[in-house]
Amino acid sequence: MARNCPVPFSSYSKLSLLVFINLILYPFTEGQTSGFSTHLIHRDSPKSPLYNPSDSNFERLHDAFHRSFARAQYFNKRISHSRSKLLSHFSSDSIQSNITSVTGDYLIKVSIGTPAVDVLAIADTGSDLTWTQCRPCIQCFKQDAPLFDPSKSTTYEQVLSCHAPLCRLDPGITVCYPGNICGYGVAYGDKSFSDGDLATDTFTFESSSGGNISIANVAFGCGHQNGGTLEETSSGIVGLSRGALSIIRQLNASIAGKFSYCLVPRNSNFSSKIHFGTNAVVSGPGVVSTTLYKKAGDTYYYLDLVGFSVGNTTIPYHFTKLDNSSPDDEGNVVLDSGTTLTFVPRQMYQPFESEIIDLTKGTRVPDPTGADLRVCYNKDNNLQIPKIVAVFLDADLILPPNNTFAEVSDGVVCLTIVPSDDTPILGNQLQINFLIGYDLVNGTVSFLPTDCTKNH
């Protein structure tokens, strides 16, 4: 490919763009249902192709902690494609995509094309575009499954014009190749990247209740140049953020802006599940709901964390950036499925940690993981952990001990909430055994404590 020449997009009317966005939100083509569920596979579960039986549960957990720190390090940053290899394709100002670590914790199986080709990808609420490696491959990371070959799919359609409305939905991702061909480029904080053609094809999901759900004309990236730290068993990313090109936004008309998931404990023999549409509604006794915030130019899922209560003491949210600037008052923490640990502002963490230590009955020990976890105890019959509640706007979330402490080595448990000088993140350890529903239409997130190993 020759060097990319970005085309300045002329302004379309808001009405035309809204009409087009509604046109690309295609209905389901099999079963004509507005709700379905499929499996989420934790990368460390026995059901995952990444599972290594020679690794102990503790080793897998330690790796997850280190991935969390890497992901958090980049979560609030922006990136331009400045790597020399990408500069041969993109101008320096053509891409401004959100950075997260691409090595998320959950995998999702999807089939692309007609006939369908199975793809195992990272399911990520912190990523926008769905993409997979494609033939012909200029540069690809090694993957176990065959590369998707668009020439063999009868339903594959490349977005041929940079002036096509689909190519204008997310200027932070889409680019224009010479010859007025629409492409895309994404880069991640762990130096993984993908660029190639923007296209549409049929996506088929395996329903957890049996059968398949096919969705026509889903926009995705067909990656011809990819690299970084992705594992051989994965083939790309399924973007679950609120970005214009994410799967969630593309299915909006069919799923009414609703999806939910229920994460099982990481050592469970059951799969977690993700639900869309009518299957994603979270209701019933015990449900608490809070406001879902959207920030300009950002596609993450933000909640308003008021503070934590430990025992009878409430520690209010407090965050001052290192540059002494004040972050937004509303929507101060990201709800993320791809990060294991929970990160809270250091100014808030200090009194939180002190209260935990004061009220916990047990024997403190050093962190055996090397991940710099600050609060660890011997796990024995004498250990008593105080009640911890995450206090959100209009919602108090009572956190069971297994959501805030994890057994990191034989007989040692550590607090999985850690201090940060960067973007606060509510990680997936804290979310286990909650049915968590996102409603993008009404702007809410709902939590229902439950046993996620049961069928929902």
Side-chain angles (χ1 to χ4, degrees), residues 36 38-40 71 100 102 104 106-112 119-132 188 203-205 215 218-221 230 234-242 245-248 250-251 259 274 276 301 337:
F36 73 100
T38 192
H39 297 283
L40 285 177
R71 187 174 174 91
T100 56
V102 76
Y106 289 90
L107 304 171
I108 188 170
K109 180 182 176 183
V110 63
S111 300
I112 303 177
V119 169
L120 189 65
I122 297 168
D124 191 6
T125 55
S127 293
D128 297 340
L129 183 70
T130 294
W131 61 267
T132 190
Y188 302 89
F203 275 45
T204 301
F205 293 89
I215 308 163
V218 174
F220 75 109
L230 286 93
S234 63
S235 304
I237 299 286
V238 171
L240 298 173
S241 76
R242 61 194 311 166
L245 286 170
S246 76
I247 287 289
I248 302 303
Q250 291 193 62
L251 301 187
F259 76 101
I274 185 167
F276 300 92
Y301 296 104
S337 66

Side-chain angles (χ1 to χ4, degrees), residues 193-261:
F193 64 94
S194 177
D195 68 273
D197 300 320
L198 190 65
T200 64
D201 210 331
T202 297
F203 275 45
T204 301
F205 293 89
E206 182 182 85
S207 173
S208 60
S209 59
N212 294 321
I213 300 295
S214 294
I215 308 163
N217 303 315
V218 174
F220 75 109
C222 200
H224 301 295
Q225 187 165 352
N226 322 279
T229 62
L230 286 93
E231 289 87 0
E232 297 176 2
T233 51
S234 63
S235 304
I237 299 286
V238 171
L240 298 173
S241 76
R242 61 194 311 166
L245 286 170
S246 76
I247 287 289
I248 302 303
R249 287 286 297 278
Q250 291 193 62
L251 301 187
N252 186 62
S254 295
I255 66 176
K258 295 179 176 64
F259 76 101
S260 64
Y261 52 73

